[in-house]
Amino acid sequence: SQADETNTRRYGGTGLGLAISKRQVELMGGEIGVDSSAGEGSTFWFSLRLDPAAPEERLDLKAAAEALVESPFQRTLPLRGAELLLVEDNPTNQEVALAILRKMGLRVEVANHGREALDKLRARRFDLVLMDLHMPVMDGLEATAAIRSEDWGRDLPIIAMTAAAFPEDRQRVLDAGMNVYLCKPVDPRQLAEALLCWLPERALTKPAVAGPEAAEPALIPPATPTLPRATAPALIPAAPPTPARSDALAGTPAATHPAQPEALSVPAEALHIPGFDLAATRQRLGDDPDLLVSILRHFQHDLTDWPAQFDRARVMAEPKEAVRLAHGLKGAAANVGATRVQAAAVALEAALKAGAAPERVDALLADGLDALQAAQAALQAALPPAPAVATAGAIDLAAARADLAE
């Protein structure tokens, strides 16, 4: 406001705010006034007679104000309706990211790997790309280099999201042409900072088209009003009550998906699961208990496929794929607070990268399988039953160990 050169700033306002305040206070049976001394300043005051609130009705105004100011979901309100491409292969990580971004009011489309991302970017425009690094088919670094080689991709904001957190990883990200680096599990506040830094100009002014021009149908209207935007293909609606993985996004048959739970209204503080630290996960999801349960169900479902995928990578002598799977399990476990699974995946990934002896890898894999089985059993026991759930089969630890022995 110090740079405001309008007449209101130079000569003063009309006093409308004071008039409204006076009327409001008087309607509540109070008084309002001002004490002023030349050269010393003015004190504006009001007094009201109010009945004390019952203990259960009392509100910690300071805490409420701090929560409002600090909430990343409030801070990103000016970005509502911006169109993002999320490039992520792990289903659990997809669900967590979609949940956070939808709560921010953003429109999100998913690509399961770098090549799919390139196809989507060549077909239409996005305001920003959230890019994982370790993916099958084409990883995030290769995909970013390909994007930057295109005229439409030179200025497209790309934010890296990965569980790799070493300085050399950060440098590889910057050398590949990404704009900023976020560590998984992603903190919504850090994500909000990055989005506010890189989205506003592109989201509000649309200076360039990221892909070929094409006639496009109108977007699905968001739940609340947004700034005017150009037309684009139908995307996932902003901020639905729970994340739903569509077949097109997940790339797997609908029959393998767990059914979405109805409103469960599970008290977040009442959900305690052995082997899980859910405090940070609750915060990432905006303290939404039903969303927390939905994300945990997805993680439980995704656990069933991991042993067979890892075994296949070892049988086919694909060490890079084995590292990628261990890395993905580490990131997904961190996202949902599965501390024991995360620790086992960290050790397994490190051993694979270091070229450890097969006996060492086998021992760490056995620890990982134990952690996976314990996590699935704990989730099965702790989560409330959901209606019409397509129940995923439990991990067959004996079969996994038999395959390992072979």
Side-chain angles (χ1 to χ4, degrees), residues 29 44 87 130 141 206 236:
F44 293 84
V87 191
L130 294 168
L141 298 176
K206 300 288 185 199
I236 302 167

PDB file of all heavy atoms in Angstrom, residues 29 44 87 130 141 206 236:
ATOM      1  N   GLY A  29     -25.347  -3.702  20.814  1.00  0.00           N
ATOM      2  CA  GLY A  29     -25.538  -3.089  22.128  1.00  0.00           C
ATOM      3  C   GLY A  29     -24.290  -2.514  22.736  1.00  0.00           C
ATOM      4  O   GLY A  29     -24.218  -2.336  23.966  1.00  0.00           O
ATOM      5  N   PHE A  44      -8.607   4.180  18.557  1.00  0.00           N
ATOM      6  CA  PHE A  44      -9.975   3.783  18.255  1.00  0.00           C
ATOM      7  C   PHE A  44     -10.337   2.615  19.178  1.00  0.00           C
ATOM      8  O   PHE A  44      -9.549   1.679  19.344  1.00  0.00           O
ATOM      9  CB  PHE A  44     -10.096   3.355  16.787  1.00  0.00           C
ATOM     10  CG  PHE A  44      -9.904   4.488  15.819  1.00  0.00           C
ATOM     11  CD1 PHE A  44      -8.626   4.869  15.421  1.00  0.00           C
ATOM     12  CD2 PHE A  44     -10.993   5.184  15.318  1.00  0.00           C
ATOM     13  CE1 PHE A  44      -8.446   5.914  14.533  1.00  0.00           C
ATOM     14  CE2 PHE A  44     -10.823   6.219  14.426  1.00  0.00           C
ATOM     15  CZ  PHE A  44      -9.541   6.595  14.029  1.00  0.00           C
ATOM     16  N   VAL A  87       3.616 -36.532 -13.025  1.00  0.00           N
ATOM     17  CA  VAL A  87       4.313 -37.659 -13.649  1.00  0.00           C
ATOM     18  C   VAL A  87       4.871 -38.526 -12.530  1.00  0.00           C
ATOM     19  O   VAL A  87       5.861 -38.166 -11.879  1.00  0.00           O
ATOM     20  CB  VAL A  87       5.434 -37.186 -14.591  1.00  0.00           C
ATOM     21  CG1 VAL A  87       5.960 -38.350 -15.422  1.00  0.00           C
ATOM     22  CG2 VAL A  87       4.950 -36.059 -15.493  1.00  0.00           C
ATOM     23  N   LEU A 130       4.804 -31.716 -12.386  1.00  0.00           N
ATOM     24  CA  LEU A 130       5.415 -32.307 -11.197  1.00  0.00           C
ATOM     25  C   LEU A 130       6.019 -33.637 -11.630  1.00  0.00           C
ATOM     26  O   LEU A 130       5.303 -34.543 -12.065  1.00  0.00           O
ATOM     27  CB  LEU A 130       4.378 -32.517 -10.104  1.00  0.00           C
ATOM     28  CG  LEU A 130       3.771 -31.235  -9.519  1.00  0.00           C
ATOM     29  CD1 LEU A 130       2.565 -31.561  -8.664  1.00  0.00           C
ATOM     30  CD2 LEU A 130       4.802 -30.477  -8.709  1.00  0.00           C
ATOM     31  N   LEU A 141      14.601 -37.523 -15.473  1.00  0.00           N
ATOM     32  CA  LEU A 141      15.692 -36.736 -16.032  1.00  0.00           C
ATOM     33  C   LEU A 141      15.666 -36.758 -17.556  1.00  0.00           C
ATOM     34  O   LEU A 141      15.825 -35.723 -18.214  1.00  0.00           O
ATOM     35  CB  LEU A 141      17.028 -37.272 -15.520  1.00  0.00           C
ATOM     36  CG  LEU A 141      17.239 -37.199 -14.003  1.00  0.00           C
ATOM     37  CD1 LEU A 141      18.560 -37.853 -13.620  1.00  0.00           C
ATOM     38  CD2 LEU A 141      17.192 -35.764 -13.507  1.00  0.00           C
ATOM     39  N   LYS A 206      -1.423 -17.070 -19.170  1.00  0.00           N
ATOM     40  CA  LYS A 206      -1.327 -17.992 -20.312  1.00  0.00           C
ATOM     41  C   LYS A 206      -0.487 -17.424 -21.453  1.00  0.00           C
ATOM     42  O   LYS A 206      -0.963 -17.242 -22.560  1.00  0.00           O
ATOM     43  CB  LYS A 206      -2.725 -18.313 -20.856  1.00  0.00           C
ATOM     44  CG  LYS A 206      -3.626 -18.962 -19.833  1.00  0.00           C
ATOM     45  CD  LYS A 206      -3.164 -20.369 -19.592  1.00  0.00           C
ATOM     46  CE  LYS A 206      -4.142 -21.053 -18.655  1.00  0.00           C
ATOM     47  NZ  LYS A 206      -3.613 -22.204 -18.015  1.00  0.00           N
ATOM     48  N   ILE A 236      -9.614 -34.155 -14.168  1.00  0.00           N
ATOM     49  CA  ILE A 236     -10.149 -34.569 -12.881  1.00  0.00           C
ATOM     50  C   ILE A 236     -10.689 -33.342 -12.170  1.00  0.00           C
ATOM     51  O   ILE A 236     -10.003 -32.330 -12.062  1.00  0.00           O
ATOM     52  CB  ILE A 236      -9.021 -35.201 -12.038  1.00  0.00           C
ATOM     53  CG1 ILE A 236      -8.412 -36.392 -12.785  1.00  0.00           C
ATOM     54  CG2 ILE A 236      -9.529 -35.631 -10.673  1.00  0.00           C
ATOM     55  CD1 ILE A 236      -7.125 -36.882 -12.203  1.00  0.00           C
TER      56      ILE A 236
END
